[in-house]
Structure formats: C-alpha cells, structure tokens
Amino acid sequence: MKKLNIAIITGGIVAERGISLKSAKMVYKHLNRRKYKPYLIDFDGKNFIEQSSKKKLNKNDFTFIKDKQKIKIDLAFLMLHGSPAEDGRLQGFLDVMGVPYTGCDHFVSSLTFDKQSCKIFLKDFDIPMADSKLVLKGEKLNINAIAKMGFPLFVKPNKNGSSYGVTKVENKKGIQPAVEKAFQFDNEVIIEAFLKGREFSNGVFRKGDKIVVLPITEIISKNDFFDYKAKYENESEEVTPAKLSKKDTTSCQARSKKLYQILGCKGLVRFDYIKMSNTFYFLEANTIPGFSEQSIFPQQAIAAGMTIKELLDAVVEERMG
C-alpha cells in the first residue's frame, strides 16, 4: 500500500509560532509510519519550506524536490496556531489548490477565530455566554458604558489565541491601558463580563461517522486567570478527567457535541468553558488546539484510553478514508 505524503504545516509569523512548532513535532513523532510519510513544513509568511531539505514547496502544485525526487503532498495536516490557519485563510488557499487538509474548513475556521462573530452566531442556539462588547481600532472608548458591564472585566484581542494580549481589568482606570495592550495583537478588541467559576476544557473529534467527545479537563491556574504562563509555562494544574458529577460531565460533553455540530466542525476542536452554578458558559472554540506534550487535547485522548497514534489516524482517515 502506498504511503500518504503528509505535510505537517506549522510555524507562521504570529505570536503563537513557538507553540505551533512544538505541536507539529508531536504530530510528526506520532504519525503512523506504516501508513504515512510525514514532512515538517514551516510557513515563513510567504513560502512553505520542508525542514529536512530546506526546499520550498512549489505553490502551483504543492510539490517539492527531495533527493532528486518530486514529492507530491497528499494531505496537509494543519498544525499552525493563529493566522493564517485558525482564521481560515490557509484553508481557502488549499481549497483553490485542490489539496486536502485536516480540520475545519475556511468558513468555520474564520467564524470561530472571530470571538465576537462566533458569539453572535451562537445566540440563536441557546448557548450560555458572557456579555461582551467589540471595540474597533480608532474608535473612541465609552468608558462609562463599558463600566456598566461591572468589574472585573476581561479585555482581549478579538482574533488571537494562546492568551496573548489578555488583561483582567479591576476598575475604570484599567480599561484604556488594557485595550491598548490588546490592540498590539489585533485591530479589534473584545471586552467581556467576568464569569466567576471553575474553568474547563473539552476536546471533540470524529472517528468515522461518530463524533467522539473526550474526557473533560479542569484548569486550575496558579495565576489570576488562565494566561500564557499558565497555559505553556506550567503555571497551572490540569485535572483530567475533571472532578465533576456524572450529571455535570454529561451536561458539558453534550454541550461540546452540540457546538461541534452547530458550527460544522471537523477534526480536532477544543471548547473552553466557565462553570457557574450548574451551567457551563461557552468561552471559545479552538479549531487547531495546542498539541504539544503538555497540551490538554493529548491529555484527554490518553485519559480516554487512546494512543496519540490512534487519534491522529482518526483525523487523517476522516479526510482521506
């Protein structure tokens, strides 16, 4: 049986570049060598570069030359966090090129990457969410209107991941600096009401025709909230499976499955929540979730009794099976 040539596309020129490289190495390590021939492809903002040969992929047919042979990519495994993959731009390019890829399509990726647009889309589907306001760059801030949402508030880039540019604001004086900080990462800023509760995350993927909802993780940050250091520098405790009642576990997993279906997701997607009282409030969807050794999604797969190799097989077979 001919092995599939899989391009693990990673890198990028965004804040999440370092996380993307770690995630891609994990995928490269665990892809089944009996079925696939993986290549690490670093996107430098303009070119796709195969890492072992340092050869550029031909963007006209998505091929490259290695050891005097022309290698044609059968599948792009997207492991590039942030733009241009999580916002759908890369998927649009691959669609035009006729190259199959893992995960959500360009529309779903674009929608979920835009936090405020995603919340507006979900309003008609009875999904509990925090109140929020969108601020555009150059727009005059109405501090008093924002303050009516109550304190504390969270101020964050509307289209960015990995908790870059996020600030917890305790009073009126903190709003302006927090918005300016978030504008360093995006031209749109979302301001959200604070939800006081426990934080949870839940991964979902497809295995054949079945939607599989993984065990839930509780995130207990050592910091004021689940910021970059808590996510990637071991400044949080992650409990998988989360210590929840059977009723709460069923409720959260049902919400994750519903979101996956409503949004039209494919591949690996992770949904984040805050639990207040008996309700799981939706925070955001991650359509290319972190996949390093420390990341939540692999933890959940292992807790479900899967190997990482089996999980990646399911992702590839969803697209190519």
Side-chain angles (χ1 to χ4, degrees):
M1 190 173 98
K2 181 182 176 291
K3 293 181 182 179
L4 289 177
N5 291 324
I6 297 184
I8 306 165
I9 301 181
T10 185
I13 51 169
V14 290
E16 294 101 321
R17 175 178 171 82
I19 312 304
S20 296
L21 294 172
K22 287 181 181 179
S23 295
K25 285 176 183 175
M26 178 84 157
V27 173
Y28 182 85
K29 176 182 175 182
H30 289 279
L31 270 173
N32 190 337
R33 295 303 192 276
R34 293 176 63 188
K35 298 180 179 180
Y36 318 121
K37 195 161 186 183
Y39 299 93
L40 278 171
I41 309 294
D42 187 355
F43 178 64
D44 68 0
K46 289 185 177 179
N47 296 298
F48 300 91
I49 303 166
E50 199 276 317
Q51 287 304 281
S52 63
S53 65
K54 301 301 178 186
K55 298 286 187 182
K56 294 179 184 177
L57 269 69
N58 183 334
K59 284 183 277 191
N60 292 317
D61 61 3
F62 230 58
T63 63
F64 67 99
I65 305 297
K66 184 171 183 178
D67 300 327
K68 297 182 180 179
Q69 284 191 321
K70 187 175 184 179
I71 308 293
K72 186 177 188 328
I73 297 303
D74 297 306
L75 175 72
F77 198 116
L78 302 186
M79 201 42 70
L80 193 160
H81 307 307
S83 184
E86 275 190 288
D87 61 1
R89 292 162 62 205
L90 180 54
Q91 290 88 332
F93 169 74
L94 293 171
D95 281 335
V96 171
M97 294 295 301
V99 178
Y101 53 84
T102 59
C104 298
D105 66 21
H106 68 283
F107 172 74
V108 176
S109 301
S110 178
L111 175 65
T112 54
F113 195 67
D114 186 324
K115 297 179 181 71
Q116 185 70 354
S117 292
C118 187
K119 291 177 75 164
I120 292 168
F121 177 84
L122 291 172
K123 274 186 178 177
D124 290 335
F125 293 95
D126 194 30
I127 304 293
M129 295 173 282
D131 290 338
S132 61
K133 293 182 183 295
L134 189 70
V135 179
L136 305 179
K137 200 161 194 174
E139 180 183 343
K140 186 177 179 181
L141 275 183
N142 187 333
I143 300 292
N144 290 329
I146 293 167
K148 285 180 182 177
M149 295 171 69
F151 292 99
L153 292 167
F154 275 108
V155 177
K156 57 182 112 171
N158 187 42
K159 300 174 187 172
N160 209 283
S162 301
S163 296
Y164 287 100
V166 179
T167 305
K168 186 179 179 182
V169 176
E170 302 287 353
N171 51 51
K172 279 187 181 183
K173 288 183 180 178
I175 295 173
Q176 185 75 45
V179 168
E180 289 172 4
K181 178 182 174 182
F183 275 137
Q184 293 175 23
F185 298 90
D186 191 13
N187 290 327
E188 298 177 355
V189 169
I190 186 171
I191 301 174
E192 285 187 323
F194 176 66
L195 297 172
K196 185 174 176 59
R198 297 161 65 190
E199 185 157 358
F200 296 91
S201 194
N202 194 199
V204 187
F205 70 101
R206 289 181 190 270
K207 189 171 184 180
D209 295 331
K210 183 183 176 186
I211 295 175
V212 179
V213 185
L214 292 171
I216 302 159
T217 297
E218 180 171 10
I219 301 152
I220 306 166
S221 177
K222 297 175 186 175
N223 302 330
D224 203 21
F225 61 96
F226 194 43
D227 59 5
Y228 179 90
K229 287 186 176 182
K231 280 185 179 178
Y232 301 113
E233 296 179 8
N234 299 317
E235 294 188 13
S236 69
E237 180 186 354
E238 291 159 11
V239 181
T240 310
K243 294 175 182 175
L244 287 166
S245 68
K246 188 174 180 180
K247 182 180 178 182
D248 281 341
T249 298
T250 301
S251 173
C252 182
Q253 290 179 322
R255 179 146 295 155
S256 297
K257 184 176 182 179
K258 180 179 179 180
L259 284 164
Y260 195 91
Q261 292 172 310
I262 288 168
L263 292 167
C265 296
K266 294 177 183 175
L268 311 176
V269 180
R270 199 189 77 232
F271 298 103
D272 297 338
Y273 304 97
I274 292 288
K275 180 178 180 284
M276 289 204 311
S277 300
N278 296 316
T279 303
F280 289 88
Y281 285 78
F282 170 71
L283 293 179
E284 63 181 3
N286 301 273
T287 55
I288 304 181
F291 210 79
S292 68
E293 299 279 356
Q294 296 79 31
S295 294
I296 290 170
F297 211 109
Q299 287 180 37
Q300 294 181 352
I302 290 165
M306 298 184 70
T307 66
I308 303 304
K309 185 184 287 186
E310 288 169 342
L311 175 63
L312 296 178
D313 263 356
V315 174
V316 173
E317 286 167 10
E318 177 192 9
R319 193 65 180 87
M320 303 299 287

